[in-house]
């Protein structure tokens, strides 16, 4: 996949391209990355990229002409690229949107600064507006890095078998179970016994139960949105029956008038 980033701070991406899985994806040829400096597409003496908003008000707006020229230049490098504007008004990034973006032939990320880009750019030069969440950043650069990181790890051949994206949280719509490594005991806490048993079926079952439990306790909304398979349904039914038994016993216990407690 070819990825271009349009920014007035191209240096912010040097460390991003140069570390970890992203670096390996570029070295392995699964990703070709380019950073375009929007300032290089200005045509005035002072290389101005922002201007005052029509109608007054606070802050500055990114001028449309340099941005349009930068987008045209990036498109000339990347056939069939989808242009993505990072903005709080966009669709919220999810694992599903990352999967959709990973299926594209090329992506051009547009990173605004100031109050944002001129609305005519968003209207005519942008295919998709993307937000990484409901909070305000000072620029689209970190947001673009978040989106690119989520996308790049999904590209075929980027992750090795051992770190497969299929193992990740959310790829199956659930939170992950806990992970443990040596030592067997750390600060008085032991690794769950089953993980030392060598019984692969028991381990897989334990992990699935922990994953479901974690999701139920911390993010029940994820469970509501998602169809359950037979094994998951069975686990939840077992818990539901256990809870009902406990609650029934509780209601059978009348408060003891002689206990001295309320
Ligand atoms: N921005 N998700 C860029 C964001 C943002 C977000 C604010 C985008 C500032 C200029 N981008 N403008 N949240 O907060 O993507």
């Amino acid at each position: 996949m070819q990825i271009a980033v349009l920014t007035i701070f191209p240096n912010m991406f040097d460390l991003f391209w140069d570390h970890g899985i992203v670096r390996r994806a570029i070295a392995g040829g699964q990703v070709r990355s380019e950073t375009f400096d929007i300032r290089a597409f200005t045509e005035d003496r002072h290389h101005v990229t922002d201007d005052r908003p029509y109608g007054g008000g606070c802050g500055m707006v990114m001028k449309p002409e340099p941005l349009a020229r930068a987008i045209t230049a990036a498109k000339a490098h990347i056939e069939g690229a989808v242009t993505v504007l990072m903005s709080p008004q966009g669709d919220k990034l999810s694992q599903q949107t990352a999967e959709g973006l990973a299926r594209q032939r090329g992506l051009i990320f547009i990173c605004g600064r100031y109050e944002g880009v001129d609305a005519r750019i968003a209207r005519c030069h942008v295919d998709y507006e993307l937000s990484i969440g409901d909070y305000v950043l000072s620029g689209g650069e970190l947001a673009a890095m978040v989106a690119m990181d989520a996308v790049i790890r999904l590209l075929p051949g980027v992750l090795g078998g051992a770190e497969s994206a299929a193992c990740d949280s959310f790829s199956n719509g659930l939170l992950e179970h806990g992970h443990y490594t040596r030592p067997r005991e750390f600060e008085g806490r032991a690794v769950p016994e089953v993980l030392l048993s060598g019984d692969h079926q028991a381990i897989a079952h334990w992990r699935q139960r922990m994953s479901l439990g974690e999701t139920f306790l911390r993010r029940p909304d994820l469970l509501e949105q998602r169809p359950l398979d037979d094994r998951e349904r069975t686990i939840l039914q077992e818990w539901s029956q256990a809870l009902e038994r406990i609650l029934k016993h509780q209601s059978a216990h009348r408060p003891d008038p002689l206990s001295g407690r309320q």
Side-chain angles (χ1 to χ4, degrees):
M1 171 184 266
Q2 272 187 276
I3 304 181
V5 179
L6 278 45
T7 171
I8 59 167
F9 295 129
N11 294 341
M12 280 185 76
F13 291 86
D14 294 349
L15 292 169
F16 177 72
W17 300 129
D18 243 24
H19 285 85
I21 286 165
V22 173
R23 175 198 176 102
R24 212 175 57 202
I26 294 168
Q30 287 93 4
V31 170
R32 277 179 53 195
S33 70
E34 285 174 284
T35 313
F36 290 83
D37 184 353
I38 294 165
R39 208 175 289 285
F41 295 87
T42 54
E43 291 181 345
D44 62 307
R45 235 156 49 84
H46 298 290
H47 304 293
V48 176
T49 57
D50 62 334
D51 204 345
R52 299 197 318 273
Y54 274 119
C58 50
M60 298 292 270
V61 178
M62 275 186 101
K63 290 170 67 61
E65 307 97 314
L67 261 174
R69 285 193 286 266
I71 293 169
T72 304
K75 277 188 172 163
H77 283 232
I78 309 181
E79 225 179 297
V82 169
T83 53
V84 181
L85 174 67
M86 303 315 299
S87 122
Q89 283 83 43
D91 285 355
K92 191 100 52 84
L93 178 66
S94 65
Q95 194 59 28
Q96 213 183 326
T97 35
E99 285 163 10
L101 291 171
R103 283 192 290 269
Q104 306 305 312
R105 292 175 60 191
L107 297 173
I108 299 171
F109 287 94
I110 304 161
C111 308
R113 281 270 149 179
Y114 324 114
E115 298 305 305
V117 306
D118 187 288
R120 292 161 295 185
I121 288 291
R123 206 123 210 281
C124 306
H125 291 265
V126 167
D127 298 314
Y128 189 60
E129 285 188 62
L130 181 63
S131 165
I132 63 161
D134 293 336
Y135 36 81
V136 182
L137 302 170
S138 318
E141 285 80 6
L142 287 171
M145 289 185 215
V146 169
M148 291 192 290
D149 188 273
V151 168
I152 288 170
R153 57 185 291 107
L154 292 175
L155 299 175
V158 168
L159 293 189
E163 49 188 13
S164 159
C167 296
D168 286 340
S169 191
F170 290 118
S171 67
N172 66 0
L174 298 177
L175 301 182
E176 277 184 42
H177 54 80
H179 300 278
Y180 296 87
T181 187
R182 292 185 292 182
R184 268 176 81 143
E185 197 184 300
F186 174 69
E187 296 183 347
R189 291 174 183 277
V191 171
E193 203 56 45
V194 63
L195 298 179
L196 311 171
S197 69
D199 180 342
H200 297 299
Q201 209 186 324
I203 292 169
H205 191 62
W206 179 86
R207 285 180 171 159
Q208 189 178 27
R209 286 170 58 89
M210 295 304 280
S211 184
L212 263 176
E214 203 75 352
T215 311
F216 172 67
L217 291 173
R218 297 212 217 181
R219 294 291 306 278
D221 58 302
L222 293 177
L223 279 184
E224 279 160 28
Q225 289 161 18
R226 173 182 174 286
L228 298 169
D229 68 24
D230 288 345
R231 283 160 53 94
E232 292 164 349
R233 197 183 303 271
T234 308
I235 295 169
L236 289 180
Q237 271 161 358
E238 282 167 13
W239 288 347
S240 164
Q241 284 153 13
L243 279 172
E244 265 165 45
R245 272 197 305 278
I246 292 168
L247 289 170
K248 209 158 96 209
H249 280 122
Q250 287 296 312
S251 61
H253 295 313
R254 296 268 76 89
D256 177 359
L258 303 181
S259 75
R261 289 186 296 160
Q262 281 302 315

